[in-house]
Amino acid sequence: DAKTTQPPSMDCAEGRAANLPCNHSTISGNEYVYWYRQIHSQGPQYIIHGLKNNETNEMASLIITEDRKSSTLILPHATLRDTAVYYCIVRSDSNYQLIWGAGTKLIIKP
Amino acid sequence: NAGVTQTPKFRILKIGQSMTLQCTQDMNHNYMYWYRQDPGMGLKLIYYSVGAGITDKGEVPNGYNVSRSTTEDFPLRLELAAPSQTSVYFCASSSPGTSGSYEQFFGPGTRLTVL
């Protein structure tokens, strides 16, 4: 599975959009991009995933570049409860395993 | 639905002791996973299972064993505990789902200290 690169930490003001970048320059054609988050040492929580097209759900939006070498997770109106570590993961269609990096620690400030 | 449950929540072991971490899911998921997470790090896959009777090694299987006799249960066995096994252990389960997402649902974790 391709590896991902994320900034170790980011800040965002409450109520603003939080944009979390992820680089996956070695991604293959059958590999999906997943985002999970982990709040204060709880079990991780699935946020969203995508292959080629941009995706949106009730939690976030996922923007994948046309060459698929990078993506951005967008939390449109960040709240204090969104403070967490966010993991960007690439998963092969033929492999159920997720390979986790260190993630981005997002701190939402009042 | 309770989702994924893990017991115990906390445990302290002495070097050389053994224990079993329990994991149960009530979502009828075929796929189950065991991860460990060391401080400040991402999760590392220990073992996984794609169905009852089928298990396979992940990234860091040494020192652990698993079994999967039912769809619901996926216990993790530590034999001869070592300080290097001090970690937080997460169990997860997944299925294809309506969108083929294989979204993994996680339990609350077991915090294990080996002294």
Side-chain angles (χ1 to χ4, degrees):
Chain A
D1 287 338
K3 291 188 176 177
T4 61
T5 304
Q6 298 177 255
S9 64
M10 293 180 63
D11 292 343
C12 179
E14 187 179 20
R16 303 296 296 269
N19 296 276
L20 290 90
C22 179
N23 182 286
H24 31 79
S25 58
T26 60
I27 194 170
S28 300
N30 66 342
E31 291 181 322
Y32 291 78
V33 180
Y34 281 72
W35 284 84
Y36 282 75
R37 72 181 183 183
Q38 187 174 25
I39 297 173
H40 190 54
S41 299
Q42 297 176 15
Q45 176 191 24
Y46 166 85
I47 301 173
I48 199 167
H49 79 287
L51 182 63
K52 295 180 183 177
N53 300 322
N54 298 338
E55 302 287 344
T56 296
N57 63 20
E58 64 278 4
M59 290 183 68
S61 295
L62 173 60
I63 309 298
I64 302 175
T65 58
E66 193 167 343
D67 63 7
R68 303 210 321 125
K69 293 184 185 299
S70 65
S71 60
T72 301
L73 179 75
I74 301 172
L75 308 177
H77 303 288
T79 71
L80 298 178
R81 288 177 294 180
D82 292 321
T83 291
V85 178
Y86 287 77
Y87 296 96
C88 170
I89 301 162
V90 171
R91 182 185 76 82
S92 167
D93 189 36
S94 59
N95 189 335
Y96 313 117
Q97 301 181 43
L98 299 176
I99 308 299
W100 301 70
T104 295
K105 183 173 177 59
L106 176 66
I107 298 174
I108 307 300
K109 298 190 172 181
Chain B
N1 285 351
V4 180
T5 57
Q6 293 183 238
T7 56
K9 286 186 169 53
F10 303 93
R11 184 72 185 269
I12 298 175
L13 281 183
K14 294 183 179 179
I15 294 173
Q17 288 185 320
S18 301
M19 76 166 293
T20 299
L21 282 66
Q22 301 292 345
C23 175
T24 300
Q25 54 94 6
D26 62 359
M27 297 172 283
N28 201 33
H29 287 170
N30 284 332
Y31 306 101
M32 295 189 73
Y33 315 81
W34 273 107
Y35 295 93
R36 59 176 286 172
Q37 185 176 33
D38 298 331
M41 307 292 287
L43 280 67
K44 291 193 180 297
L45 183 66
I46 305 172
Y47 272 94
Y48 67 100
S49 169
V50 300
I54 305 169
T55 63
D56 209 346
K57 296 177 180 179
E59 296 177 81
V60 290
N62 291 345
Y64 307 95
N65 279 300
V66 294
S67 59
R68 184 93 183 273
S69 57
T70 67
T71 298
E72 294 78 18
D73 300 307
F74 191 40
L76 177 71
R77 177 82 177 162
L78 277 72
E79 305 282 2
L80 299 175
S84 61
Q85 293 179 302
T86 294
S87 191
V88 180
Y89 291 83
F90 289 103
C91 179
S93 71
S94 72
S95 73
T98 54
S99 63
S101 69
Y102 289 97
E103 171 188 350
Q104 292 191 16
F105 294 83
F106 285 81
T110 294
R111 283 152 182 76
L112 175 67
T113 302
V114 181
L115 299 174

